[in-house]
PDB file of all heavy atoms in Angstrom:
ATOM      1  N   GLY A  54      -2.922  -1.833  12.309  1.00  0.00           N
ATOM      2  CA  GLY A  54      -1.631  -1.932  12.917  1.00  0.00           C
ATOM      3  C   GLY A  54      -1.041  -3.430  13.282  1.00  0.00           C
ATOM      4  O   GLY A  54       0.030  -3.654  13.294  1.00  0.00           O
ATOM      5  N   SER A  55      -2.088  -4.231  13.511  1.00  0.00           N
ATOM      6  CA  SER A  55      -1.749  -5.605  13.878  1.00  0.00           C
ATOM      7  C   SER A  55      -1.648  -6.495  12.699  1.00  0.00           C
ATOM      8  O   SER A  55      -1.252  -7.728  12.774  1.00  0.00           O
ATOM      9  CB  SER A  55      -2.782  -6.159  14.850  1.00  0.00           C
ATOM     10  OG  SER A  55      -4.042  -6.181  14.323  1.00  0.00           O
ATOM     11  N   GLY A  56      -2.078  -6.003  11.539  1.00  0.00           N
ATOM     12  CA  GLY A  56      -2.032  -6.817  10.273  1.00  0.00           C
ATOM     13  C   GLY A  56      -3.348  -7.584  10.070  1.00  0.00           C
ATOM     14  O   GLY A  56      -3.996  -8.038  11.044  1.00  0.00           O
ATOM     15  N   ASN A  57      -3.704  -7.602   8.804  1.00  0.00           N
ATOM     16  CA  ASN A  57      -5.064  -8.325   8.484  1.00  0.00           C
ATOM     17  C   ASN A  57      -4.886  -9.780   8.315  1.00  0.00           C
ATOM     18  O   ASN A  57      -5.865 -10.461   8.259  1.00  0.00           O
ATOM     19  CB  ASN A  57      -5.653  -7.708   7.294  1.00  0.00           C
ATOM     20  CG  ASN A  57      -4.855  -8.001   6.030  1.00  0.00           C
ATOM     21  OD1 ASN A  57      -3.670  -8.311   6.098  1.00  0.00           O
ATOM     22  ND2 ASN A  57      -5.557  -7.964   4.813  1.00  0.00           N
ATOM     23  N   ASP A  58      -3.604 -10.304   8.281  1.00  0.00           N
ATOM     24  CA  ASP A  58      -3.466 -11.670   8.093  1.00  0.00           C
ATOM     25  C   ASP A  58      -2.239 -12.097   8.888  1.00  0.00           C
ATOM     26  O   ASP A  58      -1.695 -13.192   8.609  1.00  0.00           O
ATOM     27  CB  ASP A  58      -3.211 -11.999   6.677  1.00  0.00           C
ATOM     28  CG  ASP A  58      -2.094 -11.153   6.085  1.00  0.00           C
ATOM     29  OD1 ASP A  58      -1.307 -10.518   6.785  1.00  0.00           O
ATOM     30  OD2 ASP A  58      -1.893 -11.116   4.813  1.00  0.00           O
ATOM     31  N   ASP A  59      -1.904 -11.449   9.992  1.00  0.00           N
ATOM     32  CA  ASP A  59      -0.799 -11.708  10.841  1.00  0.00           C
ATOM     33  C   ASP A  59       0.485 -11.801  10.131  1.00  0.00           C
ATOM     34  O   ASP A  59       1.532 -12.307  10.574  1.00  0.00           O
ATOM     35  CB  ASP A  59      -1.066 -13.144  11.664  1.00  0.00           C
ATOM     36  CG  ASP A  59      -2.256 -13.030  12.513  1.00  0.00           C
ATOM     37  OD1 ASP A  59      -2.423 -11.898  13.137  1.00  0.00           O
ATOM     38  OD2 ASP A  59      -2.980 -13.940  12.618  1.00  0.00           O
ATOM     39  N   VAL A  60       0.631 -11.307   8.899  1.00  0.00           N
ATOM     40  CA  VAL A  60       1.822 -11.164   8.174  1.00  0.00           C
ATOM     41  C   VAL A  60       2.190  -9.762   7.807  1.00  0.00           C
ATOM     42  O   VAL A  60       3.171  -9.272   8.085  1.00  0.00           O
ATOM     43  CB  VAL A  60       1.781 -12.104   6.917  1.00  0.00           C
ATOM     44  CG1 VAL A  60       3.038 -11.989   6.068  1.00  0.00           C
ATOM     45  CG2 VAL A  60       1.539 -13.560   7.285  1.00  0.00           C
ATOM     46  N   ASN A  61       1.233  -9.103   7.221  1.00  0.00           N
ATOM     47  CA  ASN A  61       1.376  -7.702   6.744  1.00  0.00           C
ATOM     48  C   ASN A  61       0.928  -6.748   7.840  1.00  0.00           C
ATOM     49  O   ASN A  61      -0.116  -7.003   8.475  1.00  0.00           O
ATOM     50  CB  ASN A  61       0.639  -7.458   5.392  1.00  0.00           C
ATOM     51  CG  ASN A  61       1.028  -8.353   4.361  1.00  0.00           C
ATOM     52  OD1 ASN A  61       2.212  -8.442   4.029  1.00  0.00           O
ATOM     53  ND2 ASN A  61       0.089  -8.918   3.650  1.00  0.00           N
ATOM     54  N   LYS A  62       1.686  -5.638   7.945  1.00  0.00           N
ATOM     55  CA  LYS A  62       1.389  -4.802   9.006  1.00  0.00           C
ATOM     56  C   LYS A  62       1.461  -3.334   8.421  1.00  0.00           C
ATOM     57  O   LYS A  62       2.504  -3.008   7.847  1.00  0.00           O
ATOM     58  CB  LYS A  62       2.312  -4.834  10.182  1.00  0.00           C
ATOM     59  CG  LYS A  62       2.132  -3.923  11.364  1.00  0.00           C
ATOM     60  CD  LYS A  62       3.185  -4.085  12.411  1.00  0.00           C
ATOM     61  CE  LYS A  62       2.963  -2.999  13.548  1.00  0.00           C
ATOM     62  NZ  LYS A  62       4.041  -3.169  14.543  1.00  0.00           N
ATOM     63  N   PHE A  63       0.479  -2.551   8.680  1.00  0.00           N
ATOM     64  CA  PHE A  63       0.585  -1.124   8.283  1.00  0.00           C
ATOM     65  C   PHE A  63       1.436  -0.338   9.290  1.00  0.00           C
ATOM     66  O   PHE A  63       1.265  -0.488  10.458  1.00  0.00           O
ATOM     67  CB  PHE A  63      -0.874  -0.477   8.221  1.00  0.00           C
ATOM     68  CG  PHE A  63      -0.813   0.954   7.929  1.00  0.00           C
ATOM     69  CD1 PHE A  63      -0.970   1.374   6.537  1.00  0.00           C
ATOM     70  CD2 PHE A  63      -0.743   1.911   8.909  1.00  0.00           C
ATOM     71  CE1 PHE A  63      -0.937   2.704   6.262  1.00  0.00           C
ATOM     72  CE2 PHE A  63      -0.702   3.208   8.527  1.00  0.00           C
ATOM     73  CZ  PHE A  63      -0.772   3.762   7.116  1.00  0.00           C
ATOM     74  N   VAL A  64       2.427   0.425   8.859  1.00  0.00           N
ATOM     75  CA  VAL A  64       3.352   1.116   9.786  1.00  0.00           C
ATOM     76  C   VAL A  64       3.000   2.585   9.796  1.00  0.00           C
ATOM     77  O   VAL A  64       2.839   3.237  10.859  1.00  0.00           O
ATOM     78  CB  VAL A  64       4.775   0.881   9.371  1.00  0.00           C
ATOM     79  CG1 VAL A  64       5.711   1.595  10.305  1.00  0.00           C
ATOM     80  CG2 VAL A  64       5.120  -0.608   9.438  1.00  0.00           C
ATOM     81  N   GLU A  65       3.039   3.239   8.601  1.00  0.00           N
ATOM     82  CA  GLU A  65       2.751   4.712   8.519  1.00  0.00           C
ATOM     83  C   GLU A  65       2.492   5.042   7.139  1.00  0.00           C
ATOM     84  O   GLU A  65       2.583   4.310   6.182  1.00  0.00           O
ATOM     85  CB  GLU A  65       4.034   5.460   8.979  1.00  0.00           C
ATOM     86  CG  GLU A  65       5.266   5.138   8.045  1.00  0.00           C
ATOM     87  CD  GLU A  65       6.454   5.847   8.424  1.00  0.00           C
ATOM     88  OE1 GLU A  65       6.391   7.116   8.860  1.00  0.00           O
ATOM     89  OE2 GLU A  65       7.565   5.387   8.320  1.00  0.00           O
ATOM     90  N   TYR A  66       2.022   6.349   7.004  1.00  0.00           N
ATOM     91  CA  TYR A  66       2.042   6.980   5.684  1.00  0.00           C
ATOM     92  C   TYR A  66       2.644   8.324   5.796  1.00  0.00           C
ATOM     93  O   TYR A  66       2.870   8.906   6.881  1.00  0.00           O
ATOM     94  CB  TYR A  66       0.620   7.089   5.108  1.00  0.00           C
ATOM     95  CG  TYR A  66      -0.330   7.908   5.919  1.00  0.00           C
ATOM     96  CD1 TYR A  66      -0.410   9.303   5.657  1.00  0.00           C
ATOM     97  CD2 TYR A  66      -1.205   7.354   6.814  1.00  0.00           C
ATOM     98  CE1 TYR A  66      -1.387   9.982   6.386  1.00  0.00           C
ATOM     99  CE2 TYR A  66      -2.062   8.099   7.541  1.00  0.00           C
ATOM    100  CZ  TYR A  66      -2.203   9.437   7.380  1.00  0.00           C
ATOM    101  OH  TYR A  66      -3.027  10.186   8.033  1.00  0.00           O
ATOM    102  N   ARG A  67       3.314   8.752   4.645  1.00  0.00           N
ATOM    103  CA  ARG A  67       3.954  10.061   4.610  1.00  0.00           C
ATOM    104  C   ARG A  67       3.466  10.909   3.457  1.00  0.00           C
ATOM    105  O   ARG A  67       2.992  10.358   2.490  1.00  0.00           O
ATOM    106  CB  ARG A  67       5.407   9.823   4.469  1.00  0.00           C
ATOM    107  CG  ARG A  67       6.077   9.184   5.734  1.00  0.00           C
ATOM    108  CD  ARG A  67       7.485   9.299   5.657  1.00  0.00           C
ATOM    109  NE  ARG A  67       8.042   8.593   6.929  1.00  0.00           N
ATOM    110  CZ  ARG A  67       9.349   8.458   7.077  1.00  0.00           C
ATOM    111  NH1 ARG A  67      10.281   8.836   6.156  1.00  0.00           N
ATOM    112  NH2 ARG A  67       9.764   7.812   8.145  1.00  0.00           N
ATOM    113  N   GLN A  68       3.766  12.146   3.512  1.00  0.00           N
ATOM    114  CA  GLN A  68       3.415  13.097   2.494  1.00  0.00           C
ATOM    115  C   GLN A  68       4.473  13.225   1.442  1.00  0.00           C
ATOM    116  O   GLN A  68       5.623  13.040   1.661  1.00  0.00           O
ATOM    117  CB  GLN A  68       2.985  14.492   3.145  1.00  0.00           C
ATOM    118  CG  GLN A  68       1.926  14.379   4.092  1.00  0.00           C
ATOM    119  CD  GLN A  68       1.661  15.787   4.729  1.00  0.00           C
ATOM    120  OE1 GLN A  68       2.586  16.640   4.826  1.00  0.00           O
ATOM    121  NE2 GLN A  68       0.462  16.024   5.108  1.00  0.00           N
ATOM    122  N   ASP A  69       3.958  13.634   0.224  1.00  0.00           N
ATOM    123  CA  ASP A  69       4.894  13.898  -0.874  1.00  0.00           C
ATOM    124  C   ASP A  69       5.346  15.419  -0.750  1.00  0.00           C
ATOM    125  O   ASP A  69       5.003  16.076   0.343  1.00  0.00           O
ATOM    126  CB  ASP A  69       4.172  13.697  -2.243  1.00  0.00           C
ATOM    127  CG  ASP A  69       2.999  14.602  -2.450  1.00  0.00           C
ATOM    128  OD1 ASP A  69       2.753  15.523  -1.785  1.00  0.00           O
ATOM    129  OD2 ASP A  69       2.294  14.196  -3.470  1.00  0.00           O
ATOM    130  N   LEU A  70       6.091  15.826  -1.643  1.00  0.00           N
ATOM    131  CA  LEU A  70       6.659  17.209  -1.597  1.00  0.00           C
ATOM    132  C   LEU A  70       5.565  18.331  -1.572  1.00  0.00           C
ATOM    133  O   LEU A  70       5.876  19.503  -1.225  1.00  0.00           O
ATOM    134  CB  LEU A  70       7.707  17.430  -2.637  1.00  0.00           C
ATOM    135  CG  LEU A  70       8.962  16.579  -2.552  1.00  0.00           C
ATOM    136  CD1 LEU A  70       9.825  16.844  -3.772  1.00  0.00           C
ATOM    137  CD2 LEU A  70       9.626  16.806  -1.261  1.00  0.00           C
ATOM    138  N   CYS A  71       4.381  17.941  -2.081  1.00  0.00           N
ATOM    139  CA  CYS A  71       3.291  18.948  -2.076  1.00  0.00           C
ATOM    140  C   CYS A  71       2.365  18.857  -0.888  1.00  0.00           C
ATOM    141  O   CYS A  71       1.369  19.524  -0.782  1.00  0.00           O
ATOM    142  CB  CYS A  71       2.495  18.705  -3.341  1.00  0.00           C
ATOM    143  SG  CYS A  71       3.410  19.046  -4.874  1.00  0.00           S
ATOM    144  N   GLY A  72       2.817  17.994   0.081  1.00  0.00           N
ATOM    145  CA  GLY A  72       2.036  17.938   1.253  1.00  0.00           C
ATOM    146  C   GLY A  72       0.825  16.967   1.268  1.00  0.00           C
ATOM    147  O   GLY A  72       0.020  17.041   2.077  1.00  0.00           O
TER     148      GLY A  72
END
Side-chain angles (χ1 to χ4, degrees):
S55 61
N57 67 336
D58 55 12
D59 297 325
V60 176
N61 299 312
K62 178 180 175 186
F63 179 89
V64 178
E65 65 178 320
Y66 61 88
R67 292 196 183 173
Q68 296 179 336
D69 63 14
L70 295 176
C71 294

